[in-house]
Amino acid sequence: METMEQLYEKDKFTSSVTQTSWKPLIRQMFVGSGVILNFLIYGLFFGATTVFVPQIRKQANSTEAISTETMSWLLSGSCYGSFPWVLILPIIAERYGRKAPYIILWINTFVCVLLFYFSTTVTELLISGFLQGIFPAVSSTGAVMVLTEYTSPNYRGIFFTFKSATFFWGVWISNAIGTFYHWKNIGILVFICCIYNISILFWPESPFWLATNGRFEECAKCHRWLKGDDKDSEEELKQLIYSQKENLRRKQERQLNKQKHCAIKLYNSISDKGFYKPLIFCLLTTCLYNFSGKLACTGYSIDIFKTITLSESAAYQGMLVLDGVTVLGMYIGVFLNRFLKRRTLLLGSSSMGAMFLFILSTYLYLIYLKFVLENKYLTLFILTGFSIAISCGPMILCGCLTGEMTPVKCRSLFIAVFALLTNTVMGSILKIFPYLFIYFNSHGTFFFSAVTSSVFISILYKVLPETKNKTILEIEKCFTDKNNVSKEEVELIEQVCDKNKIMCPSVIHFE
């Protein structure tokens, strides 16, 4: 913290134009790079299953070396392994700060990669996959906290979209390594990434966490170090300190009432509009992404292409092409995200994705009925259109919207509940997806994804709010309907603003 304070003292004498133009962005990129690199590592581990299963089967000269049941556990194991972490990590982040979960993740990654690289049995790979459960847990908890609390609203969407794209960069790189080299080489790349993640130790603490714990002077210094001192940043800091002062005051009042039971407090938190409404919206966007089948298609891509094309070489080619198209589509989505509203991009791209799924299921059904002959290039073209559509929208905006709609109040509880439900959905889809292919064939599986995606698109069209270029507190007001404050609260914020040398709001509505 001393280093950060020295930098802040040095920077406050520089011109505000220079400070707000590049220094805050560089500092946010420093923190964001540590978060995003962990998504690359998770992508490398996730993609490894797709390629090491065929290699192990080929080496054993038997598909029974890793059965369909075992492969489904290898792909979904990290989701189920995240269950204890999604409960533990928010508690650690709430009590010890936002850096602590990432330090634990860093240590756990070393254990996972060593077990992965030196494994000699499938059981050891299953254990490594279970330990990798900390990655989806952190992506649903710690990443949401860090990227929303450390980054400015103008850059927040870019960080979230790059985060999602980086995961599929990891999948693509992992699949490419496994296609041309031995799958254990993936572990060497993961180890190199772990070395860079030492930078986590040098992060400043989150301004939101400092404000939540009543450390407002440190909060102001960290906030200005990360986001500068321009008008928008100062306004965000002012709202942050005011809201947390109010929350601390109410917390003290609740503590004075000793008759209130913990279960009642928990019920009141969950039944609050500011809690359950954004939770439902976040779950709907997550379900849209997972039920589209895109993640499952990525994990089982070789088996899917073998079913459709009946050619092993074409299956590997199709896998690498779709991985590349997926990454390209996500960067197109990053570009479009700068110009389009969140709702427009999400619903428009999702609708196109559902359309491609209906076309693909119809085409495969006609092949199944032998009305038309299978053309692998046409199949690949339709899958490419589906991949680009889903990549532009749900894949990059799912995490972005979740981070933006996560409330400040009861933040850790919200994230824990959301992460538990999200990883349950994701793990279940990955677990049952190969059985859908077995019992309903490829056309039935893609039709199921098309119908369920359409249902979630229709619901989101009715209820999803717009969040682009809004602060976390502004988004929270959309759910709480709290526009007025009391005179006592106004006096409180004036005292806080004077102490931290922040301009108070010029117009305040009294109750």
Side-chain angles (χ1 to χ4, degrees), residues 40 78 180 286 327:
L40 179 69
S78 62
F180 301 106
T286 299
V327 173

Side-chain angles (χ1 to χ4, degrees), residues 3-265:
T3 303
M4 190 197 70
E5 291 178 2
Q6 291 171 359
L7 285 170
Y8 169 73
E9 292 295 328
K10 180 180 178 181
D11 290 341
K12 72 179 182 178
F13 295 106
T14 62
S15 66
S16 60
V17 175
T18 303
Q19 186 178 9
T20 57
S21 60
W22 61 274
K23 283 189 177 180
L25 177 59
I26 294 297
R27 290 164 181 168
Q28 291 173 42
M29 288 174 62
F30 167 68
V31 175
S33 64
V35 177
I36 291 172
L37 191 62
N38 280 300
F39 280 85
L40 179 69
I41 295 173
Y42 183 34
L44 290 169
F45 276 132
F46 186 87
T49 305
T50 307
V51 289
F52 74 59
V53 169
Q55 284 195 25
I56 292 175
R57 285 173 174 174
K58 189 174 182 179
Q59 187 177 0
N61 198 26
S62 172
T63 56
E64 294 303 317
I66 298 180
S67 63
T68 300
E69 174 74 12
T70 304
M71 185 178 180
S72 67
W73 279 115
L74 285 167
L75 272 172
S76 62
S78 62
C79 298
Y80 295 119
S82 69
F83 288 173
W85 289 113
V86 298
L87 300 176
I88 296 169
L89 292 178
I91 297 172
I92 294 173
E94 182 74 17
R95 179 164 295 185
Y96 301 106
R98 308 314 192 207
K99 290 171 57 177
Y102 274 90
I103 294 172
I104 296 172
L105 171 63
W106 180 53
I107 297 170
N108 185 84
T109 305
F110 275 110
V111 177
C112 289
V113 71
L114 290 174
L115 191 56
F116 175 86
Y117 187 80
F118 293 105
S119 62
T120 56
T121 64
V122 177
T123 302
E124 291 170 345
L125 290 172
L126 282 168
I127 295 171
S128 176
F130 186 82
L131 292 176
Q132 291 164 26
I134 193 172
F135 284 99
V138 168
S139 68
S140 302
T141 57
V144 172
M145 292 180 180
V146 171
L147 291 181
T148 53
E149 297 174 11
Y150 282 74
T151 60
S152 302
N154 292 338
Y155 306 130
R156 186 178 58 214
I158 298 175
F159 278 106
F160 269 104
T161 49
F162 270 102
K163 165 189 72 72
S164 303
T166 303
F167 170 80
F168 281 89
W169 262 111
V171 174
W172 191 16
I173 294 170
S174 184
N175 288 342
I177 293 173
T179 299
F180 301 106
Y181 304 100
H182 194 274
W183 59 270
K184 286 195 175 183
N185 289 320
I186 299 169
I188 298 173
L189 182 56
V190 173
F191 184 80
I192 295 172
C193 294
C194 288
I195 295 174
Y196 173 82
N197 271 348
I198 296 175
S199 62
I200 293 169
L201 301 175
F202 302 99
W203 288 1
E205 192 46 80
S206 164
F208 277 78
W209 183 79
L210 292 170
T212 302
N213 287 272
R215 295 158 62 177
F216 296 108
E217 292 182 4
E218 294 177 65
C219 167
K221 288 181 180 179
C222 289
H223 194 279
R224 289 176 180 139
W225 188 84
L226 283 164
K227 303 182 182 182
D229 59 1
D230 63 342
K231 181 180 177 181
D232 292 337
S233 297
E234 289 297 298
E235 178 68 21
E236 183 184 1
L237 176 58
K238 174 193 66 182
Q239 293 179 1
L240 170 63
I241 291 179
Y242 161 63
S243 65
Q244 294 309 311
K245 271 288 184 180
E246 181 185 351
N247 287 338
L248 287 171
R249 182 181 64 82
R250 291 177 177 174
K251 185 178 180 181
Q252 290 174 351
E253 290 177 353
R254 288 195 298 268
Q255 287 176 346
L256 293 175
N257 186 4
K258 297 181 180 180
Q259 295 179 348
K260 224 172 191 182
H261 195 270
C262 290
I264 298 176
K265 293 180 182 179

